[in-house]
């Protein structure tokens, strides 16, 4: 009996110690505007669960003021670390200084922050947005032999994803004088706005018969634009080429169906690297790279089906 009691006490003690050491991390997420964002959130939550990390999750519905409120709440709750996926680049310095004063480490995920003091965050784990724009433009200029009139659906204005993709794409097509973006407007990274803005653009372009391609900063907007192209009596992927980014499962299916021509992938699995950084920081590491790059492949009709199988997608 005494042995059993001793064992139970020991187990309880280990249990308490483990709980006492369990991390609590606050995550200020942009929202749920796209399939990619949802995969990103689910991946971080699953990774926290797997590691026994208590995750406090906030969905800001794409509003920076909600994100800043969430970060302040995490500070008040004295979490062990804070993850921020910033909706736009500017406006972060004050709240990041509050986190620093509270001695709570911050990791930036995905989009970037524009701050004068780089010590305000440990590191940023993110894709290379300019490269994504370059890869999209490379495919299109090759496919069209450098002659194409393009309609552009921009992501959220002021977000580093939209800024970077636009720069990478524009720098690449600048080498081709007969490749031009004839209209460009934000559709906020959402499917509904993508359809709405594309309807307006196609009408303004006399129905779109002179349009060679649509360049969408993410798959959601591309999938919305496809509906508008169909309703204009044109065949997406053939009459008008569709070039996009994210390579979410729905986009791979659309590529297989011939509606989207290419999607540049960015991994949504940022949780593991983020929690590794937090653990390393707590173990005393100081010399982090300020940008840990996440990559991805380029999907076309040649490789989309195999990737879907590999993902075990339904
Ligand atoms: C890019 C990310 C973008 C995705 C969109 O890393 O910020 O935001 O491309 C999402 O799907 O809305």
């Amino acid at each position: 009996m005494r042995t059993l009691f001793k064992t139970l006490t020991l187990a309880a003690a280990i249990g308490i110690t483990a709980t006492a050491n369990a991390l609590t991390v606050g995550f200020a997420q942009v929202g749920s505007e796209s399939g990619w964002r949802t995969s990103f959130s689910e991946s971080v939550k699953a990774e926290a669960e797997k590691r026994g990390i208590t995750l406090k999750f906030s969905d800001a519905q794409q509003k920076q003021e909600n994100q800043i409120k969430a970060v302040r709440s995490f500070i008040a709750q004295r979490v062990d670390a804070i993850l921020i996926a910033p909706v736009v680049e500017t406006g972060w310095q004050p709240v990041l200084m509050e986190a620093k004063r509270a001695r709570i480490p911050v990791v930036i995920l995905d989009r970037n922050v524009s701050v004068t003091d780089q010590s305000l965050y440990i590191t940023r784990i993110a894709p290379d947005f300019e490269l994504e724009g370059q890869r999209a433009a490379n495919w299109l200029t090759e496919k069209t032999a450098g002659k194409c009139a393009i309609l552009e659906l921009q992501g959220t204005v002021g977000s580093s994803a939209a800024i970077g993709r636009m720069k990478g794409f524009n720098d690449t097509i600048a080498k081709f004088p007969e490749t031009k973006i004839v209209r460009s407007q934000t559709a906020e990274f959402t499917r509904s706005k993508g359809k709405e803005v594309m309807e307006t653009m196609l009408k303004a372009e006399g129905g779109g018969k002179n349009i060679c391609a649509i360049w969408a900063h993410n798959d959601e907007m591309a999938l919305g634009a496809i509906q508008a192209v169909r309703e204009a009596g044109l065949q997406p992927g053939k009459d008008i080429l569709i070039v996009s980014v994210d390579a979410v499962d729905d986009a791979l299916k659309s590529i297989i169906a011939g509606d989207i021509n290419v999607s540049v992938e960015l991994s949504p699995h940022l949780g593991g690297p983020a929690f590794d950084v937090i653990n390393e920081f707590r173990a005393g590491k100081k010399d982090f790279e300020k940008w840990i790059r996440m990559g991805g492949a380029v999907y076309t009709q040649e490789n989309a089906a195999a990737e879907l199988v590999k993902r075990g997608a339904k």
Side-chain angles (χ1 to χ4, degrees):
M1 191 57 182
R2 279 177 58 81
T3 318
L4 177 63
F5 179 72
K6 265 192 192 163
T7 311
L8 286 175
T9 314
L10 181 63
I14 291 168
I16 290 165
T17 315
T19 315
N21 291 338
L23 280 181
T24 299
V25 176
F27 178 20
Q29 177 61 294
V30 168
S32 49
E33 76 284 353
S34 73
W36 182 87
R37 181 76 50 195
T38 306
S39 302
F40 171 18
S41 297
E42 282 164 10
S43 176
V44 172
K45 289 173 184 172
E47 190 63 29
E49 174 95 20
K50 198 170 94 179
R51 297 177 183 225
I53 290 170
T54 302
L55 188 75
K56 294 179 179 295
F57 180 84
S58 152
D59 172 329
Q61 281 98 43
Q62 291 214 81
K63 292 185 176 63
Q64 183 177 32
E65 63 266 24
N66 291 346
Q67 286 199 290
I68 291 173
K69 265 192 217 125
V71 173
R72 288 201 164 111
S73 163
F74 296 149
I75 293 170
Q77 295 174 65
R78 304 285 322 139
V79 298
D80 298 302
I82 295 173
L83 305 178
I84 302 176
V87 59
V88 293
E89 290 191 336
T90 54
W92 291 100
Q93 185 113 343
V95 75
L96 289 177
M97 287 173 72
E98 292 166 33
K100 185 173 182 180
R101 277 197 294 274
R103 304 172 68 75
I104 299 176
V106 173
V107 177
I108 303 298
L109 298 183
D110 181 28
R111 302 177 193 174
N112 206 353
V113 292
S114 165
V115 292
T116 53
D117 177 359
Q118 296 294 310
S119 74
L120 290 174
Y121 60 91
I122 303 176
T123 186
R124 172 176 168 244
I125 302 169
D128 181 337
F129 299 129
E130 281 192 32
L131 178 63
E132 293 164 350
Q134 289 161 8
R135 296 173 91 178
N138 286 337
W139 183 90
L140 187 60
T141 49
E142 199 177 311
K143 179 80 178 173
T144 59
K147 189 173 174 11
C148 193
I150 302 164
L151 299 177
E152 179 180 27
L153 294 174
Q154 297 173 26
T156 301
V157 175
S159 71
S160 42
I163 293 165
R165 287 171 187 166
M166 186 182 280
K167 182 175 186 320
F169 191 92
N170 291 353
D171 289 353
T172 303
I173 65 169
K175 299 172 214 148
F176 301 89
E178 292 189 274
T179 295
K180 287 264 179 271
I181 291 176
V182 294
R183 288 179 191 274
S184 179
Q185 190 179 329
T186 183
E188 291 297 325
F189 282 128
T190 68
R191 194 173 304 201
S192 56
K193 284 289 278 184
K195 180 174 189 288
E196 183 191 316
V197 170
M198 190 45 59
E199 283 165 350
T200 310
M201 284 187 168
L202 289 171
K203 281 195 189 85
E205 286 295 325
K209 288 187 178 39
N210 65 315
I211 296 300
C212 151
I214 291 166
W215 155 226
H217 291 186
N218 83 331
D219 292 337
E220 288 311 315
M221 297 188 291
L223 291 165
I226 282 168
Q227 296 169 37
V229 170
R230 274 222 179 80
E231 285 166 14
L234 297 169
Q235 256 207 299
K238 293 165 192 64
D239 299 329
I240 298 185
L241 301 173
I242 311 275
V243 179
S244 180
V245 186
D246 283 353
V248 295
D249 293 356
D250 281 353
L252 298 185
K253 290 171 189 165
S254 184
I255 289 173
I256 293 163
D259 295 339
I260 290 181
N261 299 90
V262 59
S263 186
V264 179
E265 180 187 31
L266 59 139
S267 169
H269 304 300
L270 308 180
F275 295 135
D276 289 346
V277 162
I278 293 168
N279 288 335
E280 288 161 2
F281 179 83
R282 289 168 61 85
K285 178 175 172 150
K286 293 275 179 281
D287 57 341
F288 291 92
E289 293 290 322
K290 287 315 271 187
W291 178 13
I292 298 173
R293 288 172 195 241
M294 302 291 282
V298 177
Y299 289 102
T300 63
Q301 283 230 325
E302 281 66 52
N303 59 358
E307 173 62 14
L308 263 185
V309 169
K310 202 173 115 199
R311 292 182 187 181
K314 302 275 173 294

